[in-house]
Amino acid sequence: MNPTFEHPFFLKTKREQKTIQFKIALFSLLVLLVIGIIVYYLNLGFLIWILISLSLTIIAPFFDVPAQIKSGQLIYYSSLFIVEKEKKGMIYIHGGTLFDYFFFFDKNTKNAGQSKFVLKKYLEGILNLISEYEVKDKNKTKSLKIQGTSYIINERTASKLGFTKVKTNNIQKLLLIVNYLNLLCSISLVKGKISFPNLKNVHTFEISMDKLIENKEYINRLYQNF
């Protein structure tokens, strides 16, 4: 399952993709140059590395995600639902990144109900994931765990899908803090306005694959009702 054909970026030719990435890189360098000059003349040189680091957290997904898709480390199960390659009995799931929201909502930022649409794409991705694993060996699916961290899905919604809330580990918390500006841009694109993510609303959820498969009918009903 690899529905990257739904993604505006992957619909483009390889040449067009590289052109987009080149323009992003060039624009980013120009912005950093302007910031660097301003910081230099204001004698605030100590801020330059902080600003560069923050800028890189925004730019990185535009290169990192396509590269990992190409290598097979990441797989799209819907246009806004990404799954890491299974490793040591664990599958990590992710919602859309800034890279995805930027291209997907580029021409739709005035449409209402975007948050609802994102949730529908999550459900679609979960259903596609179930479809792939429900035909595999049941002993394997029983021991396979699925885990994801989200600031869009709340505990009540996750519980309905069969997920259990688990503690967000310190590495995940650190990554969220480092990528706060990235999260700000992402959620603002979804909301269609500047929205500051509250890291207290970020939760980590987990479920076994066999239990997720058992909930397929209910998840499908939710999906059909969106």
Side-chain angles (χ1 to χ4, degrees):
M1 183 68 64
N2 188 19
T4 52
F5 58 85
E6 296 180 356
H7 198 293
F9 179 81
F10 294 105
L11 279 173
K12 302 181 184 298
T13 64
K14 296 296 182 182
R15 184 174 182 177
E16 289 174 329
Q17 292 176 16
K18 289 180 179 179
T19 299
I20 290 172
Q21 290 179 319
F22 175 77
K23 289 180 178 179
I24 291 173
L26 182 61
F27 177 76
S28 301
L29 287 173
L30 290 174
V31 171
L32 286 173
L33 180 61
V34 172
I35 292 175
I37 292 172
I38 294 173
V39 168
Y40 175 79
Y41 279 102
L42 292 178
N43 197 28
L44 298 172
F46 64 94
L47 289 177
I48 190 63
W49 296 113
I50 296 176
L51 293 172
I52 289 175
S53 298
L54 291 174
S55 300
L56 288 176
T57 65
I58 296 177
I59 301 166
F62 292 87
F63 299 89
D64 185 48
V65 173
Q68 292 197 61
I69 291 295
K70 184 177 180 180
S71 68
Q73 295 302 307
L74 294 178
I75 304 169
Y76 280 96
Y77 280 80
S78 81
S79 53
L80 296 177
F81 187 84
I82 307 172
V83 174
E84 290 185 28
K85 185 178 180 181
E86 179 188 335
K87 186 177 182 181
K88 296 181 179 179
M90 180 70 76
I91 293 178
Y92 292 97
I93 58 177
H94 304 275
T97 66
L98 176 58
F99 163 77
D100 303 299
Y101 296 142
F102 176 82
F103 286 104
F104 206 85
F105 293 133
D106 186 35
K107 296 180 181 179
N108 301 297
T109 51
K110 294 183 180 180
N111 290 351
Q114 289 187 165
S115 294
K116 186 176 180 180
F117 180 76
V118 170
L119 288 173
K120 183 173 182 178
K121 284 297 179 181
Y122 283 12
L123 292 174
E124 181 183 321
I126 291 173
L127 287 170
N128 287 332
L129 182 64
I130 290 173
S131 295
E132 179 174 323
Y133 279 87
E134 66 181 344
V135 297
K136 295 188 177 183
D137 184 86
K138 290 185 177 180
N139 289 326
K140 182 178 180 180
T141 58
K142 188 175 183 179
S143 61
L144 194 61
K145 296 290 184 181
I146 302 168
Q147 191 177 104
T149 299
S150 175
Y151 54 91
I152 292 179
I153 296 180
N154 57 42
E155 188 173 356
R156 181 170 175 269
T157 301
S159 178
K160 287 183 177 181
L161 300 177
F163 285 81
T164 301
K165 183 179 177 181
V166 296
K167 184 178 180 181
T168 303
N169 65 47
N170 292 329
I171 294 178
Q172 289 173 318
K173 290 179 181 178
L174 180 60
L175 287 173
L176 289 170
I177 294 171
V178 171
N179 288 284
Y180 185 83
L181 189 58
N182 185 300
L183 292 175
L184 168 63
C185 295
S186 297
I187 198 169
S188 296
L189 279 173
V190 174
K191 298 291 186 180
K193 61 182 180 180
I194 298 297
S195 301
F196 293 90
N198 185 349
L199 295 184
K200 291 182 179 179
N201 293 331
V202 174
H203 305 289
T204 299
F205 304 105
E206 186 175 287
I207 191 173
S208 63
M209 180 61 78
D210 63 330
K211 186 174 182 180
L212 187 65
I213 292 172
E214 288 177 6
N215 293 340
K216 179 181 179 180
E217 186 177 337
Y218 174 73
I219 296 171
N220 188 53
R221 286 202 304 269
L222 284 179
Y223 175 74
Q224 295 299 329
N225 289 332
F226 264 87

